[in-house]
Structures are given as C-alpha cells and as structure tokens.
Amino acid sequence: MKSTGHEMTRVPPLVSREALRRATANANEPYFFLCTTAAGVELDAFAAERFARVAGETGAVMLYADYRERRDGKIFPRPTIEYQPGSLRDAFDFGPLLYIHAGTFREVMAEMSRDYHHAALYDARLRLSRKGTFFRVAETLYTVTDAAGREGQFDYLAPGNKEVQKEMEIACTRHLERIGALLLPPFAALSLDEPFAVEASIVIPVLNRERTIADAIRSALEQQTTFPFNVLVVDNHSSDQTTAIVKACSEKDPRVILLVPGQHGMGIGGCWMHAAMHPACGKFAIQLDSDDLYARPVELEKIVSTFYRERCAAVVGSYRLTTFNLRNIPPGIIDHAEWTPENGPNNALRVNGFGAPRAFYTPVLRATRMPDVSYGEDYAVMLAIAREYRVARIFEPQYICRRWEGNTDASTSVEQVNARDFYKDKSRTIELSARQRLVAGRRPTVAQLELFHERQLEEWEEARARFQQLEQANCKRVALDGHELRVQHNPARMISSTADPLAAEQRPCPLCPARVPDVQRRARYNASFDILVNPFPVFHRHFTVVAREHVPQRANEYLDDLLSLARDLPAYTLLYNGAGCGASAPDHLHAQLIPRRVLPLEEDIARHGKNAPVYALDECIAGYTRAIIVIRGKEQEETRARLARVIADLEALQLMYNLLAWREGDEGNEGNGGNGGDAWTIAVAPRRAHRPAEYYLDGEARILFSPGCIEMGGVIVAPRAEDYHRYDPPLLRHLFEQVTARARVDQEGRLHARHE
C-alpha cells in the first residue's frame, strides 16, 4: 500500500520475527510507515510531507504523532505523550502509525536472532531506541476509523497472555542489559531487628470517604494477630463526615489513631509518609485504601510472617476486583504472577504496576520516601526499594478492591490516562538512571555470577546441552616427572582449536553485541567489561569476559581490570590468551573465568613455588613441561607494576604470552572492592609459537594441539578422539617444547632469554 510516495506496511502489535521481517523486507525508501491496526487509516493532507520534513530536521529513527478516532460517526481526539527512556511499557501508545528509518530498521532486524512469536515489534522498538531518538510530532496528522479500544488497565494479566508476557519480559530484560541497567540477584536481605512500639501499622490515607471509611477501619480491626498493631488513619482534611467517623472509631478502639497533617493539599504519597514518619508507626507499615477491605482476618499475620521468613523490605500481595457490593468483576484476581524473585525487579520496569496490598519495612520506607502524588506514588517507591532490597510476594488474594464511581480509576479521560502514564514513565526514567549508576559502580559477587550462570543455562538450550555433555566427557591423567597433566576429550572445542587469527578481519566479530545471540545474556562487570557464559565450556563453570568496546586483544591498558576481576571474584581463575597464542577472537579483547583449582598449575605453584616476587616455576620443578613465570604481590599497584615489566620484557624479546591470575586466600571473601584474599598470583607463559609443526601436517600425522591458557595450566583439550588417545608423556613434552619459550629471571625481576 502506498501513501503519497511513502511505503506503508501493516503488521499487528503482536507479531513474530519472521512475519515482521517479511512484511518490511521491501521497505526501500529512506523512511516507511508501519501501521499496527487493521482499521482504516487516513493521512491528513500534507501529513506524509510533514513526517518527512520533521525526520530530516531531527534525524530521529522513529516518529509518531497525535491522531483522531472516528467512532459511530463522531470524531475523538487522541493525543499521545512524549517518549522517554523510561517508556518501556510494551503497551506504550504511539498511536497505530509509526514512521521509521528503513536502514536502521533493517539493522535491528538483522541483529534480532530470537525467534519471537509475539514480541518482535516490541523488541525492534527497543533496539531502535538504542540507535537513535524517537520524536513525537505534537500535531494531529491522521484519522483512524473504527479502531479497537486501547488496552485496558489489566489486559496484560489475561490468562491467554502468559506466553506473550514472557516474550515481552525477555525483550525488556535484554534491553536493560544492553543499556547497563539490569539488576542481578540476590537482593539484599534485612535483619528486621529495629525496635518499635508496635509490630505493625495499617495505614489508611483518606479524603472524603464517609461512605466507605468505617468499613475499611472495621476490616483492619478484625485482623487476628499474635502481635500488637494499630491503625493510622491519615485524614487529608476531609470536608464531609469522614473526620467525625474516624474520631468515633478511635474513641471505641484506641488502636485507631487519627492523624491530620498540618499541610493542606497533600497527595496520597504525602499522607503515607506522614503516617510512616509518625512515632506511632509500627515496624511494618501495611496498606489499606479507604474504600477497600481485607479478604480474611488472617492477612496481617500472614504479611508480617512473610517479612520475617523472607527478610525482605517489602511484601506485595494480591487482590480481587469487585463492585461496591462485593460482586466479582473481570479480570477478577490481580496477582502479578509474572513476578519472579530473580527478574521481578527488572520486569517491573515494563509492567505498569506492582500490585497490592503493599507493605513496607518502616525504616526502609522512611529512608526511601514515597513521592507526594496521588497516582503512581506506590509504583515509584516500590521500584526504588526493589533496586536494593528483596521484595516478597503473596499470590493468593488478600485484599478486596472495590470499583465504584468514587475511586481513583473511575471514568478516566484520555488526558488523565496520558498524564498518569507520563508520570509512571517519568518514574521509570528516574529509576533507569539510578540503576545505571548503581550497576556501573557495583561489580557482581561470586554468588550473583553463579546464579547468573544457572539462569542462563535454564534459558539457553544449546549452551545447557554442551554443559551437560561436559559431564560425560572422557578424561585421563598423564604423569610427567613428578607433575601431572589432564587430558579432556571435548568435541565442542573444535571451533576454538581451529580458529584462524589471520582470518579475523574477514569475518564479523563474534563478540560484539550485535553478533552475540539474543539468548546469551551479559552481566556488566564495569565500564570496560561484561561477563557472559561461555557456550563452549571446558569446566562446569566457564565465563567469557568481553570488552564492551571493539578493541584488539591487547591487555596492556587493562591490567588493572584483569587484576580487579581476580580480586573481586576470588572463587575464579582469570585466563587471558595473547592475540597469537590461543585467542579465538584476536580482534576483540576478551578473557575467561574458570573455577579455582581445576588447573594442575595452581597446585604445582602452591606445592613447589617459592616466596619471591617474580620467579621461573620450571627452575623450581625439574623437568617441568611448560615455561611459567610466576608473579606475586599483595598490593594491586605493585602487582600491576611487576606484571607490566614482565610483559614489556616479553615484548622486547618478541615473545607472546598467556596469562593466568587468581587471588590467594579466603575464596568466600568476595565483594565490591573488598580484599578478597591475601595476595595475587599471576602465571605468565612465554610463547614462541601458537601451534606446533604437527598441527599443520595432513592426514593421520596431524594433531590439533592449539594451546592457550587452559593447556598452559595443565588441562589439554582434545576436540578429536584420535588426539585424545595418542596423547602420552613423550608426545606432550615434544609439543610443549615447540610452543613455549623459557626465560631467566634476574634479581631485579627482569626477564632474559634462556637457551637450552
């Protein structure tokens, strides 16, 4: 379909990757229109030219505009809202007509490797937002006839939407990874030991609710608990009989405390904070809206016991929608079943609410503060709390939410919906920025990295299969003159063993984000490096550490980063292969992390090494197969200086090297900038060649021996069964002699060539 010289393509909002790819394959103009409705769309006169002009003046990768709806012969205005970084809702209302830069769209479709069935357009939109700006043309430029209604507030919770929501969550999670805002579990647990006069307070903000407030207070007082609690009713200067009703309740039961703020015109959030900061507030502040009820008398006890069991900062329950007279209305139970402890705090940036009833550990609420607004205040504070602390969920209905003409969600206009959506987007924008700063300054712990590894294998079937195959791999030990090598038959490593460093420039970089499979997640380590699960493992835990920028495999400028990795993750050994001696992608800086003490080299150094800042291990162990220079240091600056001198000496001798580093000491003492142990141990393997002569022979004489850090550490990976069976002491000694270069260490810790 053409419109004024511009291509217009129709796709539904929920579309598969292949369908989206096919529909847009012929978008050859600089920009094209993408229409997401089957309804009639009529561009205003000169609207296409207006889109094109604004696109040229702004350089935006996607534009959208206000529009009209024609229903039953009447015209209704449909203003849109400004797109922000926090506009992550998959239901963000751009209107049904998007004006997209064709070249950039082709780029994002080429990058999209996940086989979405529903979320392809959402994923494409997020990818576009990372490549350029979205621009709202704040003018009415077209009319839609007989369009379906907007998504309802709870449409995403419909049972048939489960698979849709899962795909949307995957797309959003990947986006948060790419922009450095993804939070890694576990989240902080709390001791909950601060003393309070009462254990819990039910907080009821109220304004002019004479019709419902007595029912709410009665529901609160009927709670049966094993601990003392009170009910804090914050009356926001009601002008009806609400105040008198609350006073009467407090006279009958001293647990009811009427609070009237000195300030007029506060929002619901301000009233909440007035209660939370009051001396009468208990250890846990628990929600009850002035027109709602608890489902049973046991809900308060259940919420408080959840706090202690989960050691969390907040508990969020579930609720049932009813009429004022308690008759169920669709969609019924609102339980936010999409929440998971591991990814819930991230996915909360995509959905438009946290659920209810909400309960807070009062010291955390006092420190975090709920914003003083009357819509979205709860969502904003929950996002901030979930950034740092554990949040628990109760998935059975605890709360009866009555919908009637007097409550917040009744009869909302388009303008009101837009204002509320804009505020929640603004809250998400603030939260994104806070999380990016937090992630940039916080490095993952060993526990977080191992949970990341576990979750990645749950999602990534191909990688999971290779790790499972590894458990069945044939292994053998080869003894050489008092030390030991281990040989592993691992066919999956054929790619690494046959990689051609000279051909790197002729192929797309496999480590750049655009080439990494969508299913391969990234854990941010710092501003320079991400950590990924290695899909071709040699050990039961195996990570690749990848530079965030496409820079050559040269570690000289990143020695502090490498040492910090060994310090922050003391349960792991860091491996760095030089560009010409083991690196499968010499054009993109990367390293590896493997569990401590799986390499014989570590035991050899522990048993036979000497207490010297720099020494040659093969001078300590007679007949040692490999040439290894050992560097020791307690302080990072001195260790880096020693390592830099050794590297400079190797380069002066025109030698390559492999580098292995770990932090000795207590492996459980990991943390952000913590000590992580007593001293660094760095093993540098000088190399004269990447591969031995036998690698380049033909036929049965050929041996695929392509050593990197793992082999220099004492584990020989054999991708072919015939090589695995032929490896014996004489052959391995012969192969290592061809690729290693032995060096002498003088009293100053400098290296000199050693000829034998």
Side-chain angles (χ1 to χ4, degrees):
M1 175 179 174
K2 296 279 185 177
S3 175
T4 324
H6 290 76
E7 298 180 11
M8 183 177 288
T9 301
R10 289 184 186 268
V11 296
L14 301 180
V15 63
S16 71
R17 181 192 61 172
E18 288 309 309
L20 183 59
R21 192 191 305 276
R22 287 195 304 269
T24 59
N26 296 320
N28 296 317
E29 299 291 335
Y31 283 81
F32 69 99
F33 283 111
L34 189 66
C35 184
T36 61
T37 180
V41 175
E42 181 183 350
L43 285 169
D44 292 1
F46 309 113
E49 287 79 359
R50 182 59 173 160
F51 272 112
R53 179 180 292 276
V54 175
E57 291 171 344
T58 63
V61 297
M62 191 172 88
L63 296 88
Y64 61 104
D66 297 349
Y67 62 105
R68 312 173 196 85
E69 276 187 356
R70 183 185 290 116
R71 297 196 307 270
D72 301 323
K74 297 180 180 180
I75 296 291
F76 301 90
R78 292 301 302 267
T80 56
I81 60 176
E82 300 292 336
Y83 192 86
Q84 309 173 49
S87 299
L88 295 180
R89 293 172 292 122
D90 49 272
F92 182 89
D93 186 17
F94 294 100
L97 197 60
L98 308 175
Y99 191 66
I100 302 174
H101 187 264
T104 309
F105 193 81
R106 283 193 294 271
E107 288 179 21
V108 304
M109 291 307 297
E111 294 170 3
M112 190 188 301
S113 61
R114 177 173 287 277
D115 190 17
Y116 289 112
H117 298 287
H118 311 285
L121 185 57
Y122 177 55
D123 185 274
R125 181 248 284 190
L126 295 177
R127 291 173 187 270
L128 281 170
S129 73
R130 300 197 294 269
K131 292 181 178 290
T133 59
F134 291 0
F135 192 85
R136 173 185 173 236
V137 183
E139 305 161 19
T140 303
L141 294 182
Y142 62 98
T143 302
V144 180
T145 302
D146 296 328
R150 295 177 103 183
E151 182 181 79
Q153 181 179 3
F154 303 109
D155 285 0
Y156 71 96
L157 293 171
N161 275 344
K162 183 176 181 180
E163 290 305 315
V164 175
Q165 292 304 308
K166 190 62 181 176
E167 285 195 3
M168 298 294 183
E169 178 176 356
I170 289 169
C172 184
T173 300
R174 297 297 179 267
H175 177 68
L176 296 176
E177 282 179 347
R178 298 299 190 265
I179 65 173
L182 187 73
L183 302 176
L184 292 178
F187 299 96
L190 295 165
S191 61
L192 307 178
D193 55 1
E194 293 195 33
F196 281 80
V198 293
E199 186 75 351
S201 291
I202 296 174
V203 177
I204 309 177
V206 63
L207 174 63
N208 295 335
R209 286 288 187 269
E210 61 183 5
R211 186 176 169 186
T212 61
I213 186 61
D215 290 343
I217 293 174
R218 186 181 309 111
S219 175
L221 294 175
E222 287 174 350
Q223 292 300 298
Q224 300 170 6
T225 66
T226 58
F227 49 79
F229 71 93
N230 59 26
V231 181
L232 305 183
V233 182
V234 186
D235 183 4
N236 199 10
H237 302 279
S238 295
S239 57
D240 62 2
Q241 293 302 306
T242 296
T243 307
I245 294 171
V246 177
K247 284 183 178 178
C249 291
S250 66
E251 290 170 357
K252 292 180 181 178
D253 193 321
R255 292 178 296 173
V256 179
I257 300 173
L258 172 63
L259 303 177
V260 180
Q263 177 182 335
H264 285 67
M266 292 173 64
I268 293 174
C271 292
W272 251 95
M273 289 313 303
H274 184 77
M277 303 302 291
H278 196 277
C281 189
K283 181 183 291 188
F284 305 109
I286 299 167
Q287 172 198 6
L288 180 61
D289 287 346
S290 58
D291 46 8
D292 295 335
L293 308 169
Y294 287 121
R296 292 171 296 273
V298 297
E299 307 305 345
L300 190 59
E301 180 82 29
K302 188 179 300 181
I303 289 169
V304 170
S305 65
T306 301
F307 271 108
Y308 284 108
R309 184 179 67 252
E310 300 291 337
R311 298 290 167 178
C312 54
V315 174
V316 184
S318 305
Y319 61 95
R320 182 162 51 90
L321 285 172
T322 74
T323 64
F324 185 84
N325 295 319
L326 306 185
R327 297 173 67 178
N328 291 340
I329 57 176
I333 296 172
I334 309 300
D335 59 5
H336 283 272
E338 82 284 347
W339 175 275
T340 62
E342 296 81 14
N343 204 47
N346 296 306
N347 193 46
L349 288 166
R350 181 186 66 86
V351 299
N352 218 26
F354 249 92
R358 293 165 294 277
F360 307 93
Y361 179 47
T362 299
V364 170
L365 179 60
R366 287 173 173 174
T368 308
R369 303 293 175 92
M370 192 178 290
D372 186 15
V373 295
S374 291
Y375 189 89
E377 75 289 337
D378 48 355
Y379 181 64
V381 75
M382 284 300 304
L383 285 177
I385 289 172
R387 184 195 321 156
E388 294 275 0
Y389 299 103
R390 184 178 299 170
V391 173
R393 287 274 183 178
I394 299 174
F395 290 106
E396 62 178 329
Q398 297 185 282
Y399 196 78
I400 298 172
C401 183
R402 296 195 285 182
R403 287 285 187 260
W404 61 297
E405 69 276 6
N407 68 20
T408 310
D409 295 327
S411 303
T412 49
S413 66
V414 171
E415 290 74 19
Q416 287 175 309
V417 170
N418 281 351
R420 293 172 178 179
D421 284 345
F422 183 83
Y423 178 76
K424 284 193 172 181
D425 285 354
K426 183 68 73 173
S427 297
R428 281 185 280 263
T429 297
I430 294 169
E431 185 61 26
L432 268 183
S433 179
R435 293 186 183 194
Q436 286 171 323
R437 291 166 63 89
L438 178 67
V439 171
R442 173 188 287 172
R443 297 174 180 179
T445 65
V446 168
Q448 287 175 322
L449 201 59
E450 293 184 347
L451 185 57
F452 171 76
H453 192 283
E454 180 180 328
R455 296 291 177 255
Q456 177 72 109
L457 295 193
E458 289 177 0
E459 299 173 1
W460 193 359
E461 183 178 353
E462 184 180 8
R464 180 173 68 251
R466 292 201 188 102
F467 275 90
Q468 290 172 345
Q469 291 165 6
L470 190 63
E471 296 175 4
Q472 309 300 323
N474 289 326
C475 298
K476 66 179 181 179
R477 299 172 184 267
V478 179
L480 289 94
D481 301 327
H483 66 282
E484 181 181 270
L485 297 176
R486 298 172 197 158
V487 184
Q488 178 192 100
H489 179 215
N490 190 334
R493 297 291 292 185
M494 181 67 75
I495 293 176
S496 298
S497 297
T498 57
D500 184 358
L502 298 178
E505 295 182 2
Q506 279 76 50
R507 55 98 177 99
C509 176
L511 296 180
C512 282
R515 295 293 173 183
V516 170
D518 284 347
V519 72
Q520 188 171 19
R521 298 179 56 182
R522 308 174 80 91
R524 182 187 174 107
Y525 172 67
N526 63 10
S528 300
F529 290 96
D530 289 335
I531 301 176
L532 295 74
V533 170
N534 191 322
F536 301 99
V538 178
F539 306 99
H540 68 281
R541 291 270 195 272
H542 201 156
F543 297 95
T544 304
V545 182
V546 181
R548 297 175 66 85
E549 301 294 330
H550 185 75
V551 294
Q553 183 77 353
R554 182 174 169 81
N556 300 44
E557 299 175 16
Y558 298 91
L559 297 181
D560 267 324
D561 292 293
L562 299 181
L563 292 175
S564 295
L565 276 157
R567 177 199 65 205
D568 294 335
L569 301 167
Y572 289 88
T573 296
L574 177 90
L575 313 179
Y576 166 80
N577 289 318
C581 54
S584 56
D587 53 333
H588 194 124
L589 179 62
H590 66 287
Q592 300 173 69
L593 290 167
I594 63 172
R596 284 291 313 278
R597 298 189 175 91
V598 297
L599 295 177
L601 174 64
E602 297 180 58
E603 181 64 23
D604 294 339
I605 291 175
R607 291 177 58 194
H608 303 289
K610 58 183 180 180
N611 188 21
V614 184
Y615 65 92
L617 181 64
D618 54 314
E619 292 183 340
C620 303
I621 306 175
Y624 199 67
T625 320
R626 291 94 70 209
I628 302 291
I629 304 300
V630 180
I631 303 167
R632 298 272 294 171
K634 285 185 173 293
E635 301 298 329
Q636 183 155 331
E637 185 174 350
E638 68 174 2
T639 308
R640 183 191 65 243
R642 289 170 185 162
L643 176 57
R645 283 197 302 269
V646 167
I647 291 173
D649 289 342
L650 289 171
E651 291 178 343
L653 294 169
Q654 297 185 323
L655 296 174
M656 303 175 291
Y657 65 93
N658 304 109
L659 184 152
L660 304 87
W662 57 90
R663 183 81 174 180
E664 297 286 1
D666 178 10
E667 295 176 16
N669 187 24
E670 81 277 346
N672 299 320
N675 184 36
D678 299 320
W680 278 276
T681 298
I682 303 171
V684 179
R687 298 286 296 276
R688 72 175 83 198
H690 183 191
R691 291 157 174 162
E694 284 79 359
Y695 183 91
Y696 303 98
L697 298 177
D698 295 325
E700 295 182 1
R702 188 184 189 196
I703 300 175
L704 289 186
F705 184 71
S706 184
C709 280
I710 293 174
E711 285 75 16
M712 303 310 289
V715 173
I716 315 304
V717 180
R720 301 192 311 178
E722 55 265 40
D723 295 332
Y724 172 79
H725 292 298
R726 77 172 77 175
Y727 283 139
D728 60 16
L731 177 58
L732 288 171
R733 183 177 290 109
H734 169 69
L735 295 174
F736 274 117
E737 285 174 352
Q738 294 183 66
V739 298
T740 59
R742 301 189 183 272
R744 177 175 58 84
V745 180
D746 65 20
Q747 292 183 343
E748 303 298 323
R750 306 306 298 262
L751 268 60
H752 305 274
R754 192 171 82 203
H755 304 286
E756 296 182 356

